[in-house]
Amino acid sequence: MMNGLNNSVVIGGQALPELAEMLGQAAVSQVFVVVDTNTARHCYPLLEPYLPKHKLVEIPVGEQYKTLATCELVWNELTESSADRFAVVVNLGGGVVTDLGGFCAATYKRGIRFVQVPTTLLAQVDASVGGKTGVDFLGFKNQIGVFQEPAAVFIDPQFLATLDARQLKSGYAEVVKHWLIADAQAFATQRQEGVLVQDWAPIIRSSVATKQQIVEADPLESGLRKMLNFGHTVGHALESYLLLQSGREILHGEAVAAGMVCETWLSAQRGLLSASEQESIETFLFSVFEKVQFVTLETDAIAQFALQDKKNSGSTINCTLLDGIGRAVYDQPVTVAEIAESLRYYHRL
């Protein structure tokens, strides 16, 4: 318990009423709502009736704006409004908004409270939960950031109706990741439904529970939490490489889906995963996600980005691989050459 706010995750139709109750407490001096251009238009009207008096802080939309320069916009608003340490920042948006808004709050005056109201499937099942905040720097994903848990997370599936199919599928990649690292039964049964889901709440609850269980056991990613990075060593490298090339940017989940194919192949190459398991994972991922486009000549340049991965120790690239569906093994050393070869494998499929 901190100044009347407790750390919790609320999922479902009661999320926004409970947010209203929390923000109405006397311990809250001011409320700031961080939105991007899209969530200001499509999501803020759904949230506004539940908010007390507040200041709206709008940032540009897109991963390319997940930078320290954008943080300065938020810090300027907080400073000019004389926000004190009893202020609360409400982050309304996808992974960029929850990551960046959380980082801005965690560093302003050495830390003020923030709550996450994730509006994309990716943010609801992954980015908003677990206390990772940060921004990209010099083209590298999440290079600058801190671990800081939000005061609470409020997840209302109604926001998913504001998404297009591509954004929904991007978030679904993180759901699939949770199945592959920790829930073989869900992968076996729930994948039949694909993204044609009528009620997302049970899937969100299950995915959040998986992540919370892992994060609570290892909040600062010294060991077990690294499981959550399956698909991300290659995925982040691919995402970072394409982000630097105008017109070729891809969504985070699209990169993770490609990364999961590559890291599934690496798992099979090491004898950790059977050929039939590899095939079932690949078949499913390609049934949902379109292939990310790059040319073979680019694979070495893409692989170089993995040298900046935060799980590395020195020059050793530490990857999370699958030891069968539903079981992950972390701190598996891989080389730049192996990552490049996995990308060439993906390219050939």
Side-chain angles (χ1 to χ4, degrees), residues 32-41 43-44 47 56-61 74 90-93 97:
F32 296 84
V33 181
V34 177
V35 294
D36 66 21
T37 311
N38 284 344
T39 58
R41 184 184 309 117
C43 302
Y44 176 64
L47 177 67
L56 202 62
V57 182
E58 185 173 327
I59 64 173
V61 66
V74 178
V90 178
N91 298 311
L92 178 70
V97 171

Side-chain angles (χ1 to χ4, degrees), residues 8 50 65-66 90 94 113 124 142 188 209 226 231 237 241 244 250 266 269 288 314 320 323 336 347-348:
S8 61
Y50 297 94
Y65 295 107
K66 188 179 168 183
V90 178
R113 296 162 298 171
Q124 292 184 356
N142 303 319
K226 295 176 186 178
Y241 177 82
L244 294 177
I250 58 174
L266 286 168
Q269 290 294 108
V288 177
T320 297
D323 184 17
V336 171
H347 187 268
R348 290 195 299 269

Side-chain angles (χ1 to χ4, degrees), residues 9-11 15-16 39 43 90-95 97-98 115-129 152-160 162-163 204 208:
V9 179
V10 183
I11 302 170
L16 298 187
T39 58
C43 302
V90 178
N91 298 311
L92 178 70
V97 171
T98 57
V115 298
Q116 309 287 38
V117 184
T119 59
T120 65
L121 182 59
L122 189 143
Q124 292 184 356
V125 301
D126 188 60
S128 68
V129 179
V153 182
F154 298 94
I155 299 174
D156 191 334
Q158 72 167 320
F159 287 117
L160 300 183
T162 67
L163 301 180
I204 293 168
V208 167

